[in-house]
Amino acid sequence: RLVNQVVSHLIQAIRSTNSSFSSIKRLGAGSYYEHVKISEPNEFDIMLVMPVARLQLDECDDTGAYYYLTFKRNPKEKHLLKFLDEDGKLSAFKMLQALREIIKREIKNIKDVEVTVKRKKAGSPAITLLIKNPPAEISVDIILTLEVQQSWPPSTQGGLKIEQWLGRKVRGEFRNKSLYLVAKQNKREKVLRGNTWRLSFSHIEKAMMNNHGSSKTCCESDGPKCCRKGCLKLLKYLLEQLKMKDTKELEKICSYHVKTAFFHSCVMWPNDTDWCLGDLDHCFQKYLEYFLDCLQKSHLPHFFIPQYNLLSPEDKASSDFLSRQINHQLNNGFPIFQE
């Protein structure tokens, strides 16, 4: 309720104070909205989605995930031309800065709630709000997202292999949805100019989570229940607890790794009968073993962009460390779940 109150206020203000952002709309993304949140609902991801007619996408490295964006001739979005950098590329940095300024100004006008904007983290695509909610604090990541009405780039061609799991038709429907790009700095760039954007599939991930069965009625009120989300929540919880203990060693690993491994597992075991509710411990072990295998090989392909390895060799120390920690848990009956 608190988050909605604050975000609604901000969106209204953003739309009215700045013509560049007048078309913005919100989309809840991340674990809370996929119903796989494991601890207190104290962290929210809100995408502020901005429709753009057409853009030219140029890959900026070999991951197939990061792009430079330029406008085709005579764009409809004249109001965005002021965000171009000297090379004519759409600057994520400039857009985020403008949005951040509006938000910083506007939170002063929110009544009865204490909201602050967290200090900017270099390269982060989010503007983080902290909402006082005694005795705790709620953090809301606001993520600037462009919604482009055009077909997905070639790097996504071999991804989203859900034919056996959710069906060919569903895959086609997903691939016909808009393309989302978030203002994310590509760390591999020698000079960080803040003009790279990363593909985002949050809207598709949310749809897959919320309709995760190979049969249409899986986990519906009168349908059979599966343990897919139960398995995901367990591994997320395990990672969260381990990260609390060894923050430094595991800073390179995040819940998106766990979620990606989960989607791959759903493809490897596509039937609802592979995830019977009563088989939670067995299914969790299978999924965990697959994740461990990815860690050992330092290889976890992005679910939508197969050429993009999320566990790059330079993060091998983190992968090895996590692998050892998980194996210790596995061999000792998961003491962390008993704590």
Side-chain angles (χ1 to χ4, degrees):
R1 192 180 50 78
L2 219 62
V3 170
N4 283 336
Q5 183 188 335
V6 170
V7 173
S8 303
H9 178 110
L10 286 176
I11 287 179
Q12 226 169 340
I14 291 165
R15 280 183 184 150
S16 57
T17 48
N18 191 314
S19 61
S20 309
F21 298 113
S22 59
S23 59
I24 231 157
K25 54 186 200 252
R26 71 177 278 178
L27 173 80
S31 58
Y32 178 78
Y33 297 96
E34 292 165 351
H35 310 294
V36 289
K37 186 92 187 93
I38 41 178
S39 31
E40 290 295 305
N42 56 357
E43 292 179 356
F44 295 82
D45 294 333
I46 306 276
M47 298 178 98
L48 288 193
V49 182
M50 212 171 152
V52 181
R54 284 179 69 222
L55 286 168
Q56 182 173 320
L57 276 62
D58 294 301
E59 291 194 21
C60 66
D61 64 10
D62 56 0
T63 60
Y66 289 91
Y67 291 83
Y68 297 122
L69 305 182
T70 45
F71 284 108
K72 308 259 173 133
R73 279 198 311 276
N74 308 327
K76 287 199 189 81
E77 293 77 18
K78 294 275 185 281
H79 54 271
L80 296 182
L81 296 177
K82 63 170 173 291
F83 297 126
L84 298 181
D85 65 11
E86 59 279 7
D87 303 331
K89 296 188 178 83
L90 188 57
S91 166
F93 173 74
K94 283 185 178 179
M95 285 186 79
L96 273 177
Q97 209 173 18
L99 192 57
R100 197 183 177 87
E101 288 311 311
I102 302 172
I103 290 175
K104 274 168 90 166
R105 247 195 343 261
E106 198 46 51
I107 54 172
K108 300 188 179 84
N109 302 328
I110 298 179
K111 304 278 178 281
D112 350 305
V113 193
E114 197 184 318
V115 188
T116 50
V117 177
K118 206 170 153 182
R119 276 198 49 208
K120 188 176 179 311
K121 243 173 63 187
S124 162
I127 298 168
T128 305
L129 307 179
L130 299 173
I131 303 175
K132 264 268 191 320
N133 182 31
E137 212 171 32
I138 299 172
S139 89
V140 180
D141 276 350
I142 290 189
I143 299 152
L144 176 63
T145 310
L146 303 180
E147 177 183 10
V148 195
Q149 304 288 338
Q150 65 194 47
S151 52
W152 295 10
S155 64
T156 63
Q157 210 55 57
L160 191 60
K161 282 262 160 271
I162 56 173
E163 292 87 344
Q164 302 299 307
W165 167 34
L166 299 175
R168 192 174 300 277
K169 187 165 154 244
V170 173
R171 182 179 192 268
E173 284 164 10
F174 284 160
R175 285 190 57 94
N176 278 329
K177 289 193 187 298
S178 312
L179 194 60
Y180 278 33
L181 292 139
V182 293
K184 177 76 175 124
Q185 184 63 63
N186 183 0
K187 293 193 186 68
R188 294 185 179 191
E189 294 224 298
K190 298 285 178 285
V191 184
L192 299 182
R193 290 203 200 87
N195 60 3
T196 57
W197 296 76
R198 193 187 64 202
L199 294 180
S200 163
F201 300 92
S202 296
H203 52 320
I204 312 290
E205 289 164 9
K206 186 172 163 184
M208 291 195 300
M209 282 293 183
N210 293 336
N211 291 299
H212 54 255
S214 53
S215 76
K216 291 286 169 260
T217 55
C218 184
C219 287
E220 284 182 5
S221 53
D222 45 0
K225 306 278 183 278
C226 79
C227 67
R228 286 182 180 91
K229 282 190 173 180
C231 289
L232 175 59
K233 283 180 175 178
L234 278 174
L235 190 44
K236 282 184 62 161
Y237 180 76
L238 179 60
L239 178 65
E240 201 171 271
Q241 296 302 310
L242 292 172
K243 276 180 75 100
M244 267 158 51
K245 284 195 168 98
D246 299 293
T247 313
K248 186 95 187 78
E249 289 79 358
L250 294 175
E251 64 179 355
K252 293 286 204 295
I253 309 280
C254 64
S255 65
Y256 194 71
H257 291 110
V258 165
K259 184 171 161 186
T260 299
F262 170 73
F263 287 138
H264 286 302
S265 299
C266 288
V267 166
M268 285 188 289
W269 299 292
N271 302 316
D272 298 344
T273 48
D274 298 325
W275 301 87
C276 287
L277 192 57
D279 286 345
L280 177 70
D281 52 351
H282 168 69
C283 296
F284 177 64
Q285 292 259 6
K286 264 192 327 192
Y287 162 42
L288 188 61
E289 277 163 20
Y290 168 69
F291 184 55
L292 278 168
D293 190 49
C294 294
L295 290 173
Q296 269 138 16
K297 293 177 176 152
S298 276
H299 186 68
L300 174 62
H302 190 289
F303 193 67
F304 298 84
I305 311 168
Q307 71 197 53
Y308 180 21
N309 178 16
L310 295 176
L311 291 174
S312 59
E314 57 261 32
D315 303 336
K316 186 146 176 53
S318 272
S319 300
D320 288 346
F321 184 86
L322 180 57
S323 180
R324 286 196 299 276
Q325 296 301 315
I326 292 178
N327 273 310
H328 170 76
Q329 291 292 325
L330 192 59
N331 300 332
N332 292 287
F334 295 102
I336 214 156
F337 289 150
Q338 269 87 55
E339 281 167 16

